[in-house]
């Protein structure tokens, strides 16, 4: 695990060493991740976008009452009195005749009269006598069954079915008796969440293209016997991918998506559509002034009939309302669409957002610290707000999910970069601090605020003091580079051996070291002695150079060991703290090390540590009054340890040089 983290830490340091380049790399990576997410989870993200994107309508819907198009609902009251749905054709003939009596201009029946009925003649006659009537036919797009019922009629001309239009081989249509009644399809595109947001403007069955019910109403209203349309590709960046124009209906350009689908507008609030019960129409109790010269959409509104769909306003909306919405948006020429260049617009917005994030990330520390999370919240809201504004004012469905995903991803990765760089820098600072101080001291300094108070505590420890004797004279006679090389070798090896036996370097004291083992017991004493003996075996032979002048005594290593209590911690002002180790034990250990020169012993052990090493046969060196102390102290030396033959010759040349720490 540690090996894995090291390259990651180095990567963060590399990116942090070139801040602008590192942030640009992160933004490019965020863009790539966003594109991959959009490719893998596009359906779910699109569904989310559709749900929230419709808030552009529902936040502030159009509340003006719609008087041109009315809904004639086959509701619960009508079914309760007339009978279960579907009604006999004779009852539908009664409804059509009643609408004729109200002088309705155009009837659109959101009903497919597919099965022959004994009273079809009455219904067909009523439809023929109306000022205008259109009935439905249904070529299903999402059905797995092959259906052919009735007869499809009233295709449009002037369009090829090879123009990426919706196509199917199945259909359910009124039987041939209704051949002369104009028809329009009621096929819808059902989203994965069950909502209907788009309808195909034209559906191809065989080589013929059949218009939607609302388009049929417009085509029928111009009075032409032959319906012609023109479907063209858009070259405009801000226009819809395709445009449908109706012959005989100049000025109307219907924006379609690349598959020829028409987006349903939910600009109007549901309550703006007047719903009149079919029962009231048939009884003659409906508002005559309201119905006269109006267009009506006839369909089922009762629950349980099956023509109920979810919309942005309600989870249960009669399907007949959707036909009214399509028709009114066509009459108003306010048809929502997605521009052909929407993808590039969203990409451009994402790039601008990335540039803003780059500026914020490169600002001062506090601006970056608070600005990036704030930008992570604001940029998706700005994209969402832009979508809502365009939809409400210009009927443009731009979308917002991609820039929102990119912004969140980019902010998260930039914060991760900053956090990673910060942690890497902190680790580097801690590592550097740890190279000057013991690990626990470095950690305490790194993770605590400085204070002017004494921060120290008592501990029982085992101390080892090792010193290069004669180093000052050696440095006076030799080049500084050579002195530095020898001192570096000594400090590195002494540190390695101290750590090998569980100790730590408390401090480098000139040409000596002070090492610490936590605890005052036989185990720590034995570890300190083992470290001292191995220092003598490894370091001392390398210090005794062969080409020194006769007047220059070679270097020697003296080591003192003792145990006892100390006071360890931080002292000094807050702006210049020092870590120290205080107490008689420290002074005694230093003086014991100085006595190694007087007694010609490479290693001397104080009486407290000697008690823990009684089993190894220490040799008493007598009692001595150590420099600066009032009480005499017993000193001991470890038994002689035979050196390897390759080191013995150098050891014989050892000359005792009196001296202390550096």
């Amino acid at each position: 695990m540690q090996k894995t983290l090291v390259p990651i830490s180095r990567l963060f340091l590399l990116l942090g060493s070139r801040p602008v380049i590192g942030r640009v790399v992160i933004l490019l990576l965020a863009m790539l991740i966003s594109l991959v997410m959009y490719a893998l989870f596009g359906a779910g993200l699109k569904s989310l976008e559709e749900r929230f994107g419709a808030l552009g309508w529902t936040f502030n819907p159009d509340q003006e009452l719609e008087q041109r198009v009315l809904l004639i609902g086959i509701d619960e009251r009508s079914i309760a009195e007339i009978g279960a749905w579907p009604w006999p054709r004779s009852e539908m003939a009664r409804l059509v005749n009643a609408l004729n009596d109200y002088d309705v201009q155009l009837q659109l029946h959101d009903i497919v009269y597919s099965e022959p009925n004994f009273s079809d003649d009455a219904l067909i006659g009523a439809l023929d006598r109306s000022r205008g009537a259109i009935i439905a036919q249904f070529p299903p797009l999402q059905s797995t069954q092959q259906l052919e019922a009735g007869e499809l009629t009233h295709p449009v001309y002037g369009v090829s079915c090879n123009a990426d239009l919706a196509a199917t081989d199945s259909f359910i249509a009124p039987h041939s008796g209704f051949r002369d009644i104009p028809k329009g399809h009621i096929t819808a595109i059902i989203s994965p969440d069950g909502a209907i947001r788009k309808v195909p403007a034209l559906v191809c069955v065989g080589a013929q293209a059949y218009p939607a019910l609302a388009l049929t109403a417009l085509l029928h209203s111009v009075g032409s016997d032959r319906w012609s349309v023109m479907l063209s590709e858009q070259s405009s960046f801000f226009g819809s991918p395709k445009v449908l124009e109706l012959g005989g209906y100049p000025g109307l350009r219907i924006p379609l998506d690349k598959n020829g689908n028409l987006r349903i507008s939910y600009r109007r609030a549901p309550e703006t559509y007047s719903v009149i019960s079919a029962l009231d129409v048939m009884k003659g109790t409906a508002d005559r002034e309201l119905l006269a010269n109006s267009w009506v959409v006839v369909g089922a509104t009762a629950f349980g009939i099956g023509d109920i769909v979810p919309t942005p306003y309600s989870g249960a909306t009669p399907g007949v309302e959707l036909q009214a919405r399509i028709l009114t948006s066509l009459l108003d020429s306010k048809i929502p669409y997605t521009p052909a260049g929407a993808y590039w617009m969203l990409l451009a917005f994402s790039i601008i957002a990335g540039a803003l994030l780059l500026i914020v990330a490169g600002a001062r520390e506090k601006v970056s610290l608070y600005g990036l999370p704030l930008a992570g919240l604001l940029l998706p809201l700005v994209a969402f707000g832009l979508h809502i504004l365009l939809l409400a004012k210009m009927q443009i469905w731009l979308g917002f999910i991609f820039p929102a995903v990119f912004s969140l991803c980019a902010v998260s990765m930039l914060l991760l970069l900053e956090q990673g760089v910060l942690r890497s820098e902190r680790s580097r600072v801690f590592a550097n601090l740890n190279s000057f101080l013991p690990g626990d001291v470095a950690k305490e300094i790194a993770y605590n605020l400085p204070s002017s108070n004494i921060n120290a505590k008592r501990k029982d420890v085992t101390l080892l003091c090792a010193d290069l004797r004669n180093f000052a004279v050696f440095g006076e006679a030799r080049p500084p580079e050579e002195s530095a090389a020898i001192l570096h070798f000594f400090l590195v090896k002494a540190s390695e051996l101290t750590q090998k036996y569980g100790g730590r370097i408390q401090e480098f004291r000139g040409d000596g070291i002070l090492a610490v083992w936590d605890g005052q017991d036989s185990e720590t004493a034995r570890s300190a002695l083992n470290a001292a003996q191995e220092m003598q075996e490894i370091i001392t032979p390398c210090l005794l150079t062969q080409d020194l002048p006769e007047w220059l005594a070679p270097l020697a290593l003296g080591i003192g060991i003792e145990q006892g209590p100390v006071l360890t911690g931080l002292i000094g002002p807050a702006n210049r703290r020092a870590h120290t180790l205080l107490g008689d034990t420290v002074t005694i250990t230093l003086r014991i090390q100085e006595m190694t020169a007087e007694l010609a012993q490479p290693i001397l052990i104080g009486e407290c540590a000697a008690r823990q090493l009684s089993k190894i046969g220490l040799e008493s060196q007598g009692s001595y009054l150590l420099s600066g102390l009032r009480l005499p102290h017993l000193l001991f030396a470890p038994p002689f340890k035979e050196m390897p033959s390759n080191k013995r010759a150098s050891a014989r040349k050892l000359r005792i040089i009196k001296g202390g720490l550096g």
Side-chain angles (χ1 to χ4, degrees):
M1 183 66 178
Q2 186 66 25
K3 292 182 179 179
T4 305
L5 292 176
V6 170
I8 296 177
S9 178
R10 290 178 179 174
L11 175 61
F12 279 124
L13 281 176
L14 178 63
L15 294 175
S17 64
R18 303 284 192 276
V20 175
I21 296 176
R23 291 171 187 138
V24 170
V25 169
I26 288 297
L27 289 174
L28 292 176
L29 184 59
M31 179 66 74
L32 178 62
I33 292 174
S34 302
L35 291 172
V36 171
M37 289 179 62
Y38 210 71
L40 294 178
F41 310 107
L45 293 174
K46 276 290 185 183
S47 178
L48 186 67
E49 183 177 65
E50 290 286 351
R51 291 193 179 196
F52 285 95
L55 293 175
W57 287 310
T58 59
F59 269 152
N60 186 27
D62 187 349
Q63 299 288 351
E64 183 181 358
L65 185 65
E66 173 56 52
Q67 297 180 334
R68 298 164 300 174
V69 179
L70 307 176
L71 304 181
I72 306 300
I74 300 169
D75 55 5
E76 286 83 356
R77 287 179 54 231
S78 304
I79 292 174
E81 183 162 330
I82 297 175
W85 181 260
W87 290 344
R89 301 289 161 79
S90 58
E91 295 297 332
M92 292 304 301
R94 280 182 58 200
L95 178 58
V96 173
N97 286 325
L99 291 171
N100 293 337
D101 292 341
Y102 277 100
D103 199 23
V104 169
Q105 184 179 5
L106 182 63
Q107 302 179 35
L108 289 84
H109 288 239
D110 187 18
I111 304 167
V112 180
Y113 301 108
S114 57
E115 297 297 329
N117 189 277
F118 68 92
S119 56
D120 280 340
D121 291 341
L123 177 58
I124 293 171
L127 292 171
D128 285 335
R129 288 189 297 272
S130 66
R131 293 176 62 184
I134 299 169
I135 60 177
Q137 54 193 3
F138 178 53
L141 297 176
Q142 297 168 307
S143 175
T144 58
Q145 296 180 343
Q146 183 68 30
L147 303 172
E148 290 188 15
E151 181 181 352
L152 289 174
T153 62
H154 294 81
V156 295
Y157 301 93
V159 64
S160 171
C161 278
N162 296 324
D164 296 327
L165 297 176
T168 181
D169 293 326
S170 299
F171 60 88
I172 301 174
H175 63 79
S176 58
F178 292 88
R179 181 184 299 112
D180 296 331
I181 307 298
K183 302 179 185 69
H185 79 73
I186 55 172
T187 299
I189 298 174
I190 302 176
S191 301
D193 59 358
I196 296 176
R197 301 181 176 95
K198 294 181 180 180
V199 296
L202 305 170
V203 175
C204 288
V205 181
Q208 300 289 332
Y210 298 89
L213 187 68
L215 290 178
T216 300
L218 297 182
L219 291 166
H220 180 67
S221 66
V222 299
S224 175
D225 294 332
R226 186 177 176 86
W227 297 344
S228 64
V229 300
M230 182 175 67
L231 183 66
S232 59
E233 302 280 346
Q234 277 277 76
S235 58
S236 171
F237 188 78
F238 298 99
S240 60
K242 291 182 179 179
V243 170
L244 183 68
E245 297 177 87
L246 307 182
Y249 207 108
L252 178 62
R253 293 171 57 85
I254 303 172
L256 307 177
D257 66 13
K258 63 180 181 180
N259 297 318
N261 297 322
L262 176 72
R263 183 178 282 276
I264 300 174
S265 173
Y266 290 97
R267 178 175 57 91
R268 289 183 174 274
E271 54 270 19
T272 62
Y273 293 97
S274 299
V275 182
I276 302 172
S277 173
L279 182 62
D280 292 336
V281 174
M282 296 168 76
K283 285 186 174 183
T285 58
D287 187 344
R288 185 170 297 275
E289 291 185 3
L290 184 63
L291 285 168
N293 293 314
S294 65
W295 290 14
V296 298
V297 183
V298 181
T301 60
F303 288 96
I305 293 180
D307 193 20
I308 302 296
V309 295
T311 68
Y313 293 99
S314 172
T317 300
V320 67
E321 182 186 301
L322 303 189
Q323 298 298 336
R325 289 187 176 279
I326 298 170
L327 187 55
T328 53
S329 65
L330 289 171
L331 292 174
D332 294 333
S333 296
K334 292 183 177 180
I335 305 152
Y337 70 94
T338 299
Y343 175 81
W344 298 107
M345 294 180 192
L346 295 175
L347 187 61
F349 182 92
S350 301
I351 292 173
I352 294 172
L356 291 175
L357 291 175
L358 190 62
I359 294 172
V360 173
R364 290 179 299 176
E365 185 174 347
K366 285 190 176 180
V367 175
S368 175
L369 179 63
Y370 297 106
L372 282 177
L374 185 61
L377 295 175
L378 289 180
L379 288 174
L381 291 177
V382 170
F384 179 61
L386 179 62
H387 166 84
I388 288 180
L389 182 64
L390 291 175
L391 187 60
K393 299 298 183 182
M394 304 176 64
Q395 304 303 311
I396 292 178
W397 183 283
L398 181 62
F400 62 92
I401 281 292
F402 181 78
V405 169
F406 167 73
S407 298
L408 291 173
C409 186
V411 167
S412 300
M413 295 186 67
L414 284 172
L415 288 173
L416 180 64
L417 173 65
E418 298 300 324
Q419 179 69 10
V421 170
L422 183 63
R423 287 181 64 88
S424 298
E425 289 178 346
R426 188 173 67 178
S427 297
R428 182 174 57 178
V429 169
F430 179 76
N432 288 334
L433 190 61
N434 196 27
S435 68
F436 289 91
L437 295 169
D440 56 338
V441 179
K443 185 178 296 185
E444 183 177 354
I445 294 173
Y447 298 112
N448 291 284
L449 293 175
S451 169
S452 296
N453 300 325
I454 297 176
N455 183 13
K457 59 183 178 180
R458 282 179 170 271
K459 292 178 67 175
D460 289 331
V461 297
T462 300
L463 298 181
L464 179 151
C465 179
D467 181 70
L468 284 178
R469 296 194 299 274
N470 200 37
F471 186 77
V473 179
F474 180 88
E476 185 180 14
R478 307 296 293 178
E481 293 81 5
E482 187 174 331
S483 299
I486 292 176
L487 183 59
H488 176 74
F489 168 76
F490 162 62
L491 298 178
V492 169
K493 285 298 180 182
S495 299
E496 290 177 356
L497 294 173
T498 299
Q499 294 173 6
K500 175 181 175 180
Y501 288 98
R504 65 179 182 275
I505 299 297
Q506 172 66 25
E507 61 178 307
F508 296 136
R509 303 171 63 93
D511 52 8
I513 66 165
L514 183 62
V516 181
W517 280 259
D518 291 328
Q520 186 180 349
D521 51 37
S522 59
E523 183 179 351
T524 55
R526 185 64 186 176
S527 297
L529 179 59
N530 290 337
Q533 290 175 328
E534 195 159 341
M535 287 181 194
Q536 291 292 351
E537 293 176 4
I538 294 176
I539 298 176
T540 299
C542 297
L543 297 177
L544 303 177
T545 53
Q546 302 296 322
D547 56 348
L548 294 176
E550 291 186 1
W551 56 268
L552 181 61
L555 300 175
L557 182 61
I559 301 174
I561 300 173
E562 182 57 305
Q563 289 182 333
V566 296
L567 186 69
T568 178
L570 300 173
I571 59 174
N575 62 345
R576 188 64 174 87
R577 302 286 278 173
H579 182 266
T580 187
L581 202 64
L582 299 174
D584 291 344
T585 305
V586 179
T587 306
I588 292 170
T589 305
L590 298 179
R591 299 297 180 261
I592 291 174
Q593 181 276 320
E594 293 176 0
M595 289 297 297
T596 57
E598 298 287 347
L599 301 179
Q601 289 288 352
I603 300 173
L604 286 176
I605 303 170
E607 52 189 304
C608 293
R611 293 192 193 101
Q612 306 293 343
L613 299 172
S614 58
K615 294 182 180 180
I616 66 171
L618 297 178
E619 299 175 358
S620 175
Q621 304 297 304
S623 178
Y624 296 89
L625 185 63
L626 302 179
S627 175
L629 300 177
R630 293 180 300 170
L631 299 176
H633 288 263
L634 288 172
L635 300 181
F636 297 86
F640 176 75
K641 186 175 181 180
E642 186 71 19
M643 286 188 180
S645 58
N646 60 338
K647 298 179 182 178
R648 197 173 298 144
S650 298
R652 292 194 192 101
K653 296 182 179 180
L654 177 65
R655 287 191 292 173
I656 305 303
I657 304 297
K658 181 178 179 180
L661 290 174

